[in-house]
């Protein structure tokens, strides 16, 4: 049994290594197609290595016996996000071809709705898979916000930074780590960020329309995060008050 588990663990780790190899292949294709500069190459390679290292460590800790079809979809999406990241890094020197940039991003966004369905249909939903999916989403939004900020201004970075700011705040205020109730509105706002940022990044619209689309995305995100933070704060206060009441009752009863 121990040998079999070791064999399965090696197969899982090999899949992450294959993902890193595919990422490097995509970078090579992009490099040959558009003559990508050192910044794009270096950023893409760092993304590939970091993704492989963090995913490998997470898999080792979770002891998953199978990588699973849904995680393969997410890994494919991460590969596309790595390509988009390289193009954005390269754009500081020369603008990437719009068709290529929009195409890679659009496919990555479309696949965001695929991995979850695959996980549910195959019964392979895991905490690691959900976290992997979330991190890929968050990083793509961050990268897109960086790209759009170059034309609209640094305020757009708030869209990409908000989720990371929330995670950082949760280290200071642990009550932010409490689970949130399911929300269709939250999912809708999260999904619209990538779509709206892609529309803004495409250059297909005049400045006023691009500004309006991006500002709408930011306003919706602020509302969504604000609503969740308020719910978590109120819930935390209610639970704290309940604990205090219980302690007082125990003291009063001599328990």
């Amino acid at each position: 049994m121990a040998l079999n588990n070791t064999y399965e663990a090696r197969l899982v780790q090999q899949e992450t290594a294959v993902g890193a190899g595919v990422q490097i292949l995509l970078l090579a294709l992009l490099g040959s197609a558009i003559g990508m500069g050192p910044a794009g190459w270096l950023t893409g390679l760092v993304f590939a290595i970091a993704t492989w290292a963090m995913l490998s460590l997470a898999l080792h800790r979770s002891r998953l016996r199978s990588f699973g079809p849904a995680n393969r979809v997410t890994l494919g999406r991460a590969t596309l996000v790595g390509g988009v990241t390289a193009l954005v890094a390269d754009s500081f020197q020369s603008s990437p071809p719009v068709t290529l940039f929009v195409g890679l991003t659009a496919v990555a966004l479309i696949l965001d709705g695929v991995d979850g369905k695959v996980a549910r249909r195959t019964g392979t939903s895991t905490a690691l898979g959900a976290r992997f999916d979330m991190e890929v989403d968050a990083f793509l939004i961050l990268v897109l916000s960086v790209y759009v900020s170059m034309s609209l201004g640094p305020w757009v970075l708030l869209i990409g930074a908000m989720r990371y700011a929330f995670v950082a705040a949760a280290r200071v205020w642990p009550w932010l780590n409490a689970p949130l109730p399911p929300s269709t509105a939250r999912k809708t706002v999260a999904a619209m960020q990538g779509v709206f940022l892609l529309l803004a990044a495409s250059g297909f619209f005049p400045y006023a329309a691009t500004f309006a689309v991006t500002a709408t995305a930011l306003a919706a995100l602020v509302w969504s995060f604000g609503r969740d933070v308020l719910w978590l704060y109120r819930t935390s206060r209610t639970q704290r008050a309940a604990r205090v009441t219980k302690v007082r009752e125990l003291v009063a009863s001599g328990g």
Side-chain angles (χ1 to χ4, degrees), residues 241-255:
R243 287 195 296 269
V244 171
T245 301
K246 187 175 181 178
V247 169
R248 288 176 178 173
E249 290 175 349
L250 287 173
V251 172
S253 65

Side-chain angles (χ1 to χ4, degrees), residues 195-245:
V195 175
F196 278 26
L197 284 173
L198 177 57
L199 291 174
S202 67
F204 296 155
F205 302 98
Y207 180 87
T210 301
F211 185 94
V213 165
T214 309
T216 300
L218 177 58
L221 194 62
V222 170
W223 170 81
S224 180
F225 269 97
R227 188 185 68 153
D228 286 346
V229 169
L230 183 59
W231 186 91
L232 289 168
Y233 177 71
R234 287 175 174 173
T235 301
S236 174
R237 288 191 62 182
T238 301
Q239 292 175 345
R240 190 161 53 243
R243 287 195 296 269
V244 171
T245 301

Side-chain angles (χ1 to χ4, degrees), residues 60-97:
H60 176 73
R61 288 177 175 175
S62 66
R63 299 185 181 277
L64 285 181
R65 299 178 63 181
S66 173
F67 195 60
N71 284 334
R72 294 188 187 103
V73 175
T74 307
L75 184 58
R77 190 155 58 86
T79 300
L80 296 176
V81 171
V84 173
T85 302
L87 291 176
V88 170
D90 196 60
S91 70
F92 285 92
Q93 296 178 333
S94 60
S95 298

Side-chain angles (χ1 to χ4, degrees), residues 108-131:
L109 290 173
I110 291 170
L111 288 177
D112 184 27
V114 174
D115 46 12
K117 292 181 180 179
V118 171
R120 289 187 293 272
R121 289 182 180 179
T122 58
T124 55
S125 298
T126 62
L128 173 62
R131 180 66 182 272

Side-chain angles (χ1 to χ4, degrees), residues 185-200:
R186 186 189 308 116
K187 292 179 180 179
T188 302
V189 170
M192 68 182 282
Q193 299 306 309
V195 175
F196 278 26
L197 284 173
L198 177 57
L199 291 174

Side-chain angles (χ1 to χ4, degrees), residues 25-39:
L25 176 60
L26 176 60
L27 292 176
L29 292 174
L30 292 175
S32 62
I34 66 171
M36 193 162 58

